[in-house]
Amino acid sequence: MESCLKRIFTFALCFSFFLLPLFSAENTAYLSPYPQNFTQHTLSALAEISLITFDSGDSLFRAFGHSSIRVSDPVKNIDKLFTFGAIENIDSPSEQLSLLYKRKKCKAGAARFLDVLKYDNEKQNRLVIEQKLNISREDKEKIYSYLLWKTQELNVIDDYDLTKNNCATISRDVIKLAWSTALSENRFLYDSASPLSYRSLIVSKLSTRPWAALAADFFLGSAADRHATIYDITFMPDILRSVVSVAKIKSNGETLPLIKSTSVIYTPIEKKSKLSASPRTPELVFMLLAALAMCMTLLQPSLYLLSLKNEKAITAQRIAKSLMQSFDILFFFLTGLLGLLCLLLSIFGKSKITAGNINFMWLLPTNIIFAFSCYKEKNRAIISGYFLALAYLSLFTFIFREKFIQHINPAFSSIMLITISRSLFQALSRPLKAMLQATALSRNTSAQNRLYTTGQQLLRSPLQNP
């Protein structure tokens, strides 16, 4: 089943208009685990534990940023950056895609902080912020010991999860080792009147990547629309940074801020501005496609009726027929394939936020099979009945799309209109064409009978005259 899923997803990637977004993952280029028999270290009084947050990067899967833990001690000559959620070959599209349907192993490792900073500046050129934790020396020792243990060869492997086990969530759990107050008690980001959801958080990070935002909206299931607590939404690195910036700890009966100081480690160099696509680009493209498809749907019957009376219109009718046959086969095949992907992700997806995806209810996977019936013109009840049912289902979804348990991106309204118009054409054109042909045949037969009768009368007329 896993190999079959991999083939389907890879095939879908070739036909997609967009790439799937991934969250808070890094590659393993600069990481190395500690040896198995490491020597226990102690930190001096000048040691610092910091949360390092990398801002969004240029590549798609770095659009959500990255979180790491820094341990620095000038006395012991220690300056290490501990990173979690790193995946090998994450730059590969197939590796990115496999995060949705396959358990991926992620690694933890460490490297010299300056080396990582230099590497990231060269590759991504993004904002880097450091937040030093206001914790005791004993808590620093506790965190450092855990980090050393976590990055051993036997402990570096974890199952990556887009929202439950990534770089930000593991960094959060590391900080909690020395933090008695739960994250959920800091409710400054949570508004009961307009609660946040996984979908709103993810899509908001893709505002400058409209096609990626559309892909996220499509492949995220109804589970992504549930309201997330303040603890849950810290899977986003920048939100984790905001949460810890206002968090409090208790020390000797006093309530103190968790963060002692915040500083900008690196400010990105300004780049030449690039023209970015409008966030409404997918909507515009689909609207134009829907308008063209609906116009052709109205034009085809007109050309067919005109070709019955005027031979000059036959060529135009054949061209329109050939173009729309190819369009229908491609359109229904792709929509069926996307519906199948939604169904498979909803059932077999390894990430919980893809569960309950109901997009396959209007993008029926069976479209893959019936797409090729568009090439045939035989009047079969099963074909007409299927496309008529598909049109009604799409119409129902279009009318009640705002009330569904799952958010449906507005751009898909145009796809629904295309499905409705082309499904109605496929459902009605065959019986109507058969009826017209039967009527024409009946007329021809009647004309031939009349001609035969007239001829017989003419043949008999000389014999009847004296």
Side-chain angles (χ1 to χ4, degrees):
M1 176 59 74
E2 186 174 297
S3 60
C4 179
L5 285 175
K6 187 174 182 180
R7 290 178 182 177
I8 293 175
F9 275 88
T10 305
F11 182 71
L13 184 64
C14 298
F15 286 96
S16 295
F17 296 109
F18 37 73
L19 292 175
L20 295 179
L22 305 176
F23 324 118
S24 305
E26 288 291 309
N27 58 29
T28 58
Y30 53 78
L31 298 181
S32 60
Y34 275 91
Q36 178 61 31
N37 298 319
F38 68 91
T39 303
Q40 181 67 42
H41 293 281
T42 57
L43 298 174
S44 70
L46 299 179
E48 297 286 355
I49 305 289
S50 307
L51 173 66
I52 303 295
T53 304
F54 296 85
D55 205 3
S56 302
D58 293 333
S59 57
L60 182 60
F61 69 91
R62 291 189 178 93
F64 300 87
H66 183 62
S67 296
S68 299
I69 301 295
R70 180 186 183 185
V71 179
S72 59
D73 189 342
V75 177
K76 300 286 186 175
N77 195 26
I78 298 172
D79 193 4
K80 293 285 186 180
L81 187 72
F82 293 84
T83 293
F84 313 97
I87 301 174
E88 292 183 356
N89 302 320
I90 191 60
D91 292 292
S92 169
S94 60
E95 288 295 318
Q96 298 173 25
L97 201 61
S98 65
L99 287 178
L100 293 176
Y101 66 90
K102 183 180 179 181
R103 287 288 183 191
K104 296 294 292 184
K105 298 298 182 181
C106 60
K107 294 184 177 181
R112 288 183 66 249
F113 176 70
L114 293 180
D115 291 343
V116 178
L117 193 62
K118 180 180 178 181
Y119 175 87
D120 192 81
N121 294 346
E122 293 176 353
K123 297 292 183 180
Q124 295 295 317
N125 186 36
R126 51 183 171 173
L127 180 68
V128 181
I129 296 178
E130 179 180 29
Q131 295 171 294
K132 294 182 180 180
L133 303 182
N134 185 23
I135 56 179
S136 64
R137 184 176 179 181
E138 292 75 16
D139 287 335
K140 294 176 183 178
E141 291 282 0
K142 185 192 301 184
I143 290 179
Y144 187 47
S145 297
Y146 174 78
L147 291 172
L148 292 176
W149 172 83
K150 182 69 175 175
T151 52
Q152 290 181 77
E153 189 68 45
L154 294 178
N155 301 322
V156 297
I157 303 298
D158 286 310
D159 283 335
Y160 185 85
D161 188 272
L162 301 178
T163 58
K164 300 298 182 183
N165 195 43
N166 64 8
C167 64
T169 60
I170 299 176
S171 298
R172 173 199 66 198
D173 295 339
V174 169
I175 296 174
K176 281 187 65 180
L177 293 173
W179 189 4
S180 57
T181 305
L183 280 169
S184 57
E185 294 180 12
N186 296 276
R187 297 181 176 272
F188 78 104
L189 283 179
Y190 185 81
D191 181 4
S192 57
S194 57
L196 300 171
S197 66
Y198 288 107
R199 186 188 299 274
S200 62
L201 290 170
I202 292 168
V203 174
S204 66
K205 290 293 182 181
L206 300 170
S207 58
T208 59
R209 298 175 172 89
W211 289 103
L214 184 69
D217 251 350
F218 182 77
F219 285 104
L220 293 176
S222 57
D225 291 311
R226 69 180 180 85
H227 301 157
T229 65
I230 189 65
Y231 186 82
D232 293 332
I233 63 177
T234 52
F235 76 93
M236 288 286 191
D238 61 335
I239 294 182
L240 176 62
R241 181 183 67 204
S242 299
V243 168
V244 299
S245 67
V246 298
K248 306 292 183 181
I249 59 172
K250 293 182 179 179
S251 178
N252 299 325
E254 294 184 77
T255 301
L256 302 173
L258 174 65
I259 300 302
K260 178 168 56 177
S261 65
T262 301
S263 58
V264 177
I265 300 297
Y266 177 77
T267 302
I269 302 172
E270 292 186 5
K271 299 179 181 179
K272 294 182 179 180
S273 60
K274 296 180 180 180
L275 293 176
S276 58
S278 169
R280 294 189 176 274
T281 296
E283 292 184 47
L284 179 61
V285 171
F286 290 156
M287 284 176 62
L288 292 175
L289 188 63
L292 181 61
M294 295 174 72
C295 288
M296 290 301 296
T297 302
L298 296 174
L299 183 63
Q300 272 189 279
S302 302
L303 287 175
Y304 178 75
L305 293 175
L306 190 61
S307 66
L308 296 177
K309 300 178 180 179
N310 190 346
E311 293 184 358
K312 296 181 179 179
I314 294 178
T315 303
Q317 186 267 337
R318 288 178 178 175
I319 294 174
K321 173 185 172 183
S322 178
L323 287 175
M324 295 313 294
Q325 275 184 341
S326 301
F327 175 82
D328 286 347
I329 292 172
L330 182 61
F331 176 77
F332 287 115
F333 180 80
L334 289 180
T335 54
L337 183 62
L338 291 174
L340 179 61
L341 289 175
C342 289
L343 181 61
L344 292 176
L345 277 177
S346 184
I347 299 175
F348 302 106
K350 299 304 180 181
S351 178
K352 293 182 179 180
I353 59 173
T354 61
N357 194 322
I358 61 172
N359 282 319
F360 68 88
M361 293 179 62
W362 62 278
L363 293 172
L364 297 182
T366 47
N367 285 357
I368 297 175
I369 300 173
F370 282 88
F372 297 98
S373 66
C374 299
Y375 186 74
K376 301 177 182 178
E377 296 185 359
K378 292 183 179 179
N379 182 24
R380 294 184 178 179
I382 187 173
I383 297 177
S384 298
Y386 174 83
F387 282 110
L388 189 61
L390 178 61
Y392 283 136
L393 187 60
S394 298
L395 180 62
F396 176 83
T397 307
F398 178 79
I399 295 174
F400 297 101
R401 63 190 182 280
E402 299 294 337
K403 299 181 181 180
F404 267 46
I405 59 173
Q406 176 179 327
H407 171 76
I408 297 179
N409 193 291
F412 293 125
S413 298
S414 299
I415 302 298
M416 295 177 192
L417 291 176
I418 297 175
T419 304
I420 294 168
S421 61
R422 296 312 300 170
S423 295
L424 285 175
F425 178 83
Q426 291 295 334
L428 301 178
S429 62
R430 290 176 175 82
L432 289 177
K433 187 175 181 180
M435 184 177 67
L436 288 174
Q437 289 176 344
T439 303
L441 181 62
S442 177
R443 289 178 179 175
N444 290 335
T445 304
S446 299
Q448 289 176 359
N449 290 337
R450 287 196 300 270
L451 182 62
Y452 177 78
T453 303
T454 304
Q456 290 294 325
Q457 292 176 351
L458 291 174
L459 289 174
R460 293 173 186 170
S461 59
L463 300 176
Q464 295 175 354
N465 294 326

